[in-house]
Amino acid sequence: MKKIVFMGTPDFSVPILNALIESDYEIVLVVTQPDRPKGRKKVMTPPPVKVAAQEAGLKVYQPEKLRAGYQYILEYESDLIVTAAYGQLLPNELLEVPQFGCINVHASLLPELRGGAPIHYAILQGKEQTGITIMYMAEKLDAGDILSQAAIPIAESDDVGTLHDKLSELGTQLLLKTLPDIFSGAVEPREQDERLATFASNIRRGEEEIDWRKDHTEIFNHIRGLCPWPVAYTTFKGDPLKIWRAQKNENTYPGQPGEIVDATNGSIIVGCGNHKGIEITELQPAGKKRMSAGDFLRGTTELTTGMKLGD
């Protein structure tokens, strides 16, 4: 039985780990990020992969810095290392040891969208399809040779949450399909074309704010490309206003970008840079719970037609 070290951290990795547990391979060690404080009370919380691994009775290792702790992993003499959204680069000393190498399950069609937020950027950039790449790992981020790929369409109804779940399932199936070819030597690695490489770095706070000067399709993609985390926001009377969900409105509206052109009948429509509209359907004022636009309007007289968001 081939021995595998699995390295992953968030929810995306859990179905992949569970599938490996149920397969004919032996998971000799699970490596994941350390527990972190979470929520307002800063409660130390284990990563989802740790929880799944412990439920399966697997050994778990959580080095703060992998470069300082990789030698412990070598003691398990695995045939292959599988990573999926682990969160740290693997040192070359670790990449060179397993007989069948180190492979990664990446949530994009490489060389597009290398980096830590490929699902977000697939929607933010308005792509019509994305997918999964199984690849050999290299010292350079997400630049290793491609072993297999599978694509799926991105529906206009998708947000990061739904696309995340679809890609996690696709990655699980593609990995299970690719592993036998790796161990039998039937796989034919394909070098990435560096000229086509694009990048999807982790989302910074400043990138979450809505720019109402953009056209309504860009703003719609911005809102669903940040939902359900970290969530897009604008400002209202100087306070942040999170926008959870919205839809495009194809009517033409004169006026300034960010101007509220309709705030009646449970609907908040905001004008955009191309004079089309965004209809906000779900929002969260500062210090309050997430709510529908209708509930928000029924509880306030402060937001009215003609006011501006984002000032």
Side-chain angles (χ1 to χ4, degrees):
M1 181 181 292
K2 300 298 184 187
K3 297 191 297 185
I4 291 176
V5 168
F6 181 81
M7 304 175 70
T9 298
D11 288 321
F12 178 84
S13 316
V14 172
I16 300 170
L17 172 61
N18 287 336
L20 289 174
I21 292 170
E22 295 173 0
S23 72
D24 293 331
Y25 307 111
E26 180 185 4
I27 309 301
V28 293
L29 180 68
V30 173
V31 184
T32 188
Q33 296 282 3
D35 296 3
R36 303 291 189 200
K38 191 173 182 180
R40 290 184 177 179
K41 294 184 179 179
K42 305 296 182 185
V43 177
M44 291 299 289
T45 304
V49 160
K50 179 182 180 181
V51 174
Q54 290 182 326
E55 288 176 353
L58 298 174
K59 294 179 182 177
V60 174
Y61 179 47
Q62 298 176 276
E64 187 70 44
K65 297 292 183 182
L66 189 58
R67 182 163 292 281
Y70 73 88
Q71 290 183 332
Y72 178 77
I73 301 172
L74 298 180
E75 295 176 10
Y76 285 83
E77 299 181 336
S78 67
D79 298 298
L80 178 75
I81 292 177
V82 176
T83 72
Y86 169 57
Q88 293 189 44
L89 290 174
L90 273 60
N92 199 45
E93 294 87 342
L94 189 56
L95 294 175
E96 294 178 343
V97 174
Q99 178 185 354
F100 294 93
C102 302
I103 64 171
N104 183 40
V105 182
H106 184 77
S108 81
L109 297 172
L110 291 171
E112 279 193 348
L113 302 180
R114 296 174 178 175
I119 302 175
H120 291 81
Y121 277 91
I123 296 178
L124 288 170
Q125 294 180 359
K127 294 185 179 299
E128 295 182 352
Q129 74 165 14
T130 185
I132 290 289
T133 299
I134 309 292
M135 48 169 284
Y136 279 129
M137 298 192 72
E139 277 199 292
K140 188 176 178 182
L141 179 66
D142 298 329
D145 290 352
I146 295 169
L147 301 173
S148 60
Q149 289 184 308
I152 56 170
I154 301 174
E156 192 165 277
S157 57
D158 274 325
D159 58 23
V160 168
T162 61
L163 193 57
H164 167 281
D165 293 348
K166 292 178 182 178
L167 289 170
S168 180
E169 174 60 26
L170 183 66
T172 300
Q173 299 306 318
L174 186 62
L175 177 65
L176 293 178
K177 183 180 178 182
T178 305
L179 284 176
D181 289 341
I182 293 174
F183 290 128
S184 70
V187 72
E188 296 184 3
R190 174 168 53 89
E191 190 175 345
Q192 294 189 37
D193 187 342
E194 290 292 325
R195 297 169 301 176
L196 302 178
T198 61
F199 297 90
S201 302
N202 292 333
I203 305 292
R204 297 186 298 271
R205 174 63 174 168
E207 295 173 303
E208 298 166 15
E209 186 170 4
I210 297 170
D211 182 352
W212 295 105
R213 295 169 299 180
K214 294 184 176 180
D215 71 48
H216 70 322
T217 298
E218 290 179 280
I219 294 171
F220 174 68
N221 290 338
H222 183 92
I223 292 169
R224 67 193 186 106
L226 297 178
C227 179
W229 71 90
V231 184
Y233 76 95
T234 184
T235 54
F236 175 56
K237 291 190 170 181
D239 291 325
L241 178 68
K242 289 185 176 181
I243 309 298
W244 284 83
R245 297 194 182 279
Q247 57 192 25
K248 291 188 287 186
N249 183 297
E250 301 295 343
N251 293 330
T252 299
Y253 299 100
Q256 297 296 313
E259 182 177 327
I260 298 168
V261 295
D262 190 3
T264 58
N265 300 318
S267 171
I268 301 172
I269 300 175
V270 185
C272 303
N274 63 342
H275 298 292
K276 300 292 183 181
I278 283 289
E279 181 179 348
I280 298 171
T281 57
E282 198 169 345
L283 49 74
Q284 183 174 8
K288 296 185 178 180
K289 294 182 178 179
R290 176 179 171 178
M291 65 185 77
S292 70
D295 286 345
F296 175 73
L297 289 173
R298 281 187 285 274
T300 184
T301 57
E302 295 183 349
L303 188 147
T304 57
T305 300
M307 300 180 77
K308 278 192 70 179
L309 299 180
D311 276 345

